[in-house]
Amino acid sequence: MKTSRRTTPGNVVRFQKNGDAIEHRWFPRRPAEFQVNVIPPDLPAALGRTTDIGLGGMFVTMNAEHLQANDLVSALIYIGARCYHTQAFVTRVTGQGVALMFAHLDRKTLEFLLVLETGDNQHELDARQA
């Protein structure tokens, strides 16, 4: 099967060879560096750092050798003294880390990501990071 790629504004769809993950990106990501604990079921947590994040997911630099595409993981995102929890699917594993697509966002995490996404209320984001 050939690898093909189609891009439309606000939407990235990648179709890959059999056995590889399919990634659907509906929201843009912004560069950001936050500490993240990625917690796979039945495996120890792995500490990493985001390189980018958006409403749909994030890329985390970490040792991801024990993760595979389509794994469901929990992630704890640390912003200053605050912690945001989400569940996410692994969409891609590389030598540098793992791409995660959010599967469930609680209200607090969604509000944080909306503020980050829009760039509005910078003072609110600063207060949340404190």
Side-chain angles (χ1 to χ4, degrees):
M1 177 177 174
K2 275 187 175 177
T3 299
S4 63
R5 181 176 174 178
R6 180 175 56 109
T7 304
T8 57
N11 176 16
V12 174
V13 180
R14 291 188 183 102
F15 300 96
Q16 299 175 341
K17 295 180 183 177
N18 289 338
D20 290 343
I22 297 175
E23 180 178 347
H24 301 273
R25 187 175 298 169
W26 294 95
F27 301 99
R29 294 194 189 164
R30 299 180 90 166
E33 191 173 328
F34 304 123
Q35 183 176 325
V36 179
N37 252 345
V38 176
I39 309 163
D42 303 323
L43 291 171
L47 188 60
R49 293 196 72 76
T50 61
T51 59
D52 59 54
I53 192 167
L55 285 172
M58 62 185 165
F59 188 86
V60 181
T61 57
M62 59 179 277
N63 179 353
E65 64 188 26
H66 57 284
L67 294 174
Q68 298 178 39
N70 302 317
D71 284 351
L72 180 64
V73 299
S74 291
L76 301 174
I77 306 165
Y78 298 97
I79 315 293
R82 295 194 179 254
C83 179
Y84 299 92
H85 177 261
T86 182
Q87 289 183 316
F89 287 103
V90 174
T91 60
R92 185 170 35 101
V93 178
T94 72
Q96 289 77 38
V98 63
L100 300 176
M101 179 178 67
F102 298 138
H104 172 76
L105 295 170
D106 63 22
R107 183 178 174 153
K108 181 174 84 166
T109 305
L110 178 60
E111 288 173 354
F112 163 72
L113 290 172
L114 283 169
V115 169
L116 188 65
E117 175 67 27
T118 62
D120 293 337
N121 300 325
Q122 187 61 43
H123 64 281
E124 185 178 338
L125 178 58
D126 293 340
R128 290 179 183 200
Q129 290 180 354

